[in-house]
Amino acid sequence: MAKVRILPERVANQIAAGEVIERPAAVVKELVENALDAGATRVVVEFAHAGKSLIRVDDNGHGMSAEDARMALERHATSKIADSTDLERLATFGFRGEALPSIASVSRFTLQTREAGSDSGTEIVVNAGRVVHQRECGRPVGTRIDVERLFEPVPARRKFLKSDRTEAGHIVGCVRLYALACPAASFALYEDGREVFRSPECTSLADRVSEIFGRQVAEGLLPMDYSEPGMRLTGLVGRPGAGCATRHDMVAFVNSRPVDSRTVNGGLMEAYRESIPQGRFPAAFVFLECGPSEVDVNVHPAKREVRFRSEAAVRGFIIRAVLSRLWEWSERSAPSAQTVQLPAPVGLPAALPSPFGGWVGEPSQPVSPPPRQAAPTGERREASPQWRYVGTAHASYALFETPHGLVLLDRRAAHERVWYERLKAQFRAAGVPVQRLLLPISMELNPVASAVLTDHLEFIRVHGLEVHEFGRNFFRVEALPAWMEPGDAEAFIRDLVGALREGLMPASNIDLARDELARLAAAKAVRLPATSGEAETTALLRELFATTSPVSSPAGRPTYVELNHGELARRFQK
C-alpha cells in the first residue's frame, strides 16, 4: 500500500490557513485589505466575542459578479496579478488569492456581493470548506463577508489564542492601522454591538491620527515631507526629547502597505540616536514611497515583512529625511541655542579602589552584578581620603581627585542603582509605601495597551499602583507608590504597559517581573537637586558602594569613570 498520498482539498486548505490566519485579527486584516483593493470609500467592521463568534466586514467597493464570487473561493484565484512579472509592480494589498479559501476552511463563511449594473447580488455560504449553497440575494453595490465560529473546525487552534480582551485589542489595532493607511476612506468599528470608533473621510494624516489616537498625540508630532530621486518619505514624526518605552508607536507604511521593516525602523532609530534617551523609541507614522520593483512584498504569508532591493540606500534615505526635519524644527525652536559636545567618557582601569575599601571592576561596559556583599556594619565609616571631593559639574557629575587621577561620578546613574536595589527589597517584602491621591488621575490607552493593563491590574496593585477601569479604554489612578510624583504616573504606566507587552515581566517568573519593574521605577524615582554639596555626595557614594553592583546603573551604564594620569598626560600631549 502506498505511503504517500494527496491530502483532501479541505484538509490542505485548513493547513494553508495556519500560515495566513493565525488569529482573528488576521481575518480582519485580509478582509479589510480586500475591501480597500476593491475601491471602497466606506469600511464597516463588526466583531463579537473577540472575533471568535463573528467577524463582519461590509464595504461599498465595486463588488463581484456571481461567477467571480464563486471563483474567489478557489485557492490561488486572484484578479490582482496574472504572472510572476506582476509581482514587481504590485499596487494592491492582496495578490496571492489564499485569504478567502483559507478563512472559509476554518469557519462558517457567508459572502454577499453585488457589482454595479446587476439587478441582484450573490450569496455564497461555506461551512468548514464545504459549499452549503449559492443563490441570489438583495444588497447594495459592494461586498459583505460574515465569518462565524472561527476555528471551530480546528479546535486546537483556539487553544493558542490569548484572552478575549487581548484578541479584541489586536483587532482594534489592525483596523486603526488600515484607517491610518487610507485616510480618504471612512472607517467604523463595532465590538459586541458597541461603537469602538468612527472616523469619517479625512483630508490629512494628522486629522486621522487625531481622530483615532487623540488630539494630544497628534499635537506632539511634526509633519514631514522629504524627497530624493526615486524615494519620498511623508507622515508625522515625534519631536526631539520625547520617547516611548517600546516600538509600538513606530508605524511604517511602504507604498501605503503597513509593514514591519527592520530597515525602516533601524533608520528611524538611528535618526533619533542623539535626540531621545537611550533605551527609548521614537513615535512615528511614516509613509515611504518607492518604485514597486524596488521592494519585495512576497516574503511572508502575512505580507507584513518586506525586503528592499537596496537596504542600505533605503536606511540612509530614512536617516537623512528624519534628521533634516528634526534639525529644521530645532533651529526654529531655539535659533540661538548653542551646545558644546563633550568627548565620550573614558573607561576605568582594570581595577579601581573603592573610597570605602575593596576594589571594583571596569564599569565602562555593562557588567553582571557580582556576588552580593554585606553592606558596611558597625561604626559608621568616613569617606576615604583616597577620593577627595572637588565639586559638581553641569549639575550631573561629581568630580573627585584620587591618587590615580580624576573620577567623574554620574549622580543620576548612582541614584538609579541605589533606588533599584531599595525598590527590589520593598517588592520582595511586599512593603511598598503607598500614597492615596486626593484627585485621581484619568488616562486613556489604545485597545491593545488597555487589554494588557487590565490583565495585570492585580500585579501592579501589590507593587504600589492602584488603577481601576473607568469606561472603555479609560483608567483612573487612585494611589501611587510614595516615591512617585503624580505628574510622572501616566508616563510610568505607559512604560510599564510597554514592558508587559514585550514580555519583560512574565507572570511565570515573579522575580524577573519584579526586577524589571524595579528597573523601570528606579528611573522615575530619581529627582536630582540642581546642586549637591560634599555631604550629600559622600552620602550617595556610601549608599552606592553598599549595593551589589556599584559600578553600573540598572540599565548597564557606568556609574563613574576615571581619567587616570596616563590618559590626562596623553590628552595634554605630555
Side-chain angles (χ1 to χ4, degrees), residues 203-223:
T203 57
S204 70
L205 176 64
D207 290 340
R208 181 54 60 89
V209 171
S210 182
E211 286 272 358
I212 296 177
F213 292 90
R215 187 178 302 277
Q216 184 178 4
V217 172
E219 289 176 349
L221 301 171
L222 302 173

Side-chain angles (χ1 to χ4, degrees), residues 222 239-240 275 322-339:
L222 302 173
R239 296 178 182 179
S275 301
V322 176
L323 279 179
S324 174
R325 184 65 181 98
L326 297 182
W327 286 338
E328 178 186 3
W329 181 84
S330 298
E331 289 176 358
R332 290 181 179 178
S333 301
S336 61
Q338 294 184 356
T339 58

Side-chain angles (χ1 to χ4, degrees), residues 335-348:
S336 61
Q338 294 184 356
T339 58
V340 178
Q341 295 293 328
L342 298 177
V346 181
L348 287 167

Side-chain angles (χ1 to χ4, degrees), residues 24 36 77 101 117 119 153 208 304-305 362 365 367 427 434 437 520:
L36 295 172
D119 295 331
R208 181 54 60 89
R304 285 299 304 273
E305 298 177 18
E362 166 70 74
Q365 299 293 333
V367 296
F427 294 162
V434 173
L437 299 178
L520 285 175

Side-chain angles (χ1 to χ4, degrees), residues 441-464:
I441 300 168
S442 297
M443 60 183 297
E444 180 184 11
L445 298 176
N446 67 55
V448 175
S450 175
V452 172
L453 179 58
T454 303
D455 289 344
H456 294 85
L457 287 179
E458 179 60 20
F459 170 77
I460 67 174
R461 186 194 64 77
V462 299
H463 292 92

Side-chain angles (χ1 to χ4, degrees), residues 59-81:
D59 68 68
N60 66 345
H62 53 60
M64 292 180 284
S65 66
E67 181 181 0
D68 284 343
R70 182 60 182 264
M71 185 64 70
L73 293 170
E74 299 293 332
R75 291 192 68 192
H76 309 303
T78 179
S79 62
K80 297 161 187 175
I81 62 173

Side-chain angles (χ1 to χ4, degrees), residues 24 83 106 108 143 174-176 212 225 235 241 248 250 265 311 313 349 378 399 414 420 483 568:
D83 55 50
V106 292
R108 181 175 176 85
T143 300
C174 173
V175 178
R176 285 185 167 184
I212 296 177
D225 190 339
H248 296 301
M250 294 170 59
N265 289 344
E311 304 281 346
L399 180 64
Y420 167 71
W483 51 262
L568 290 170

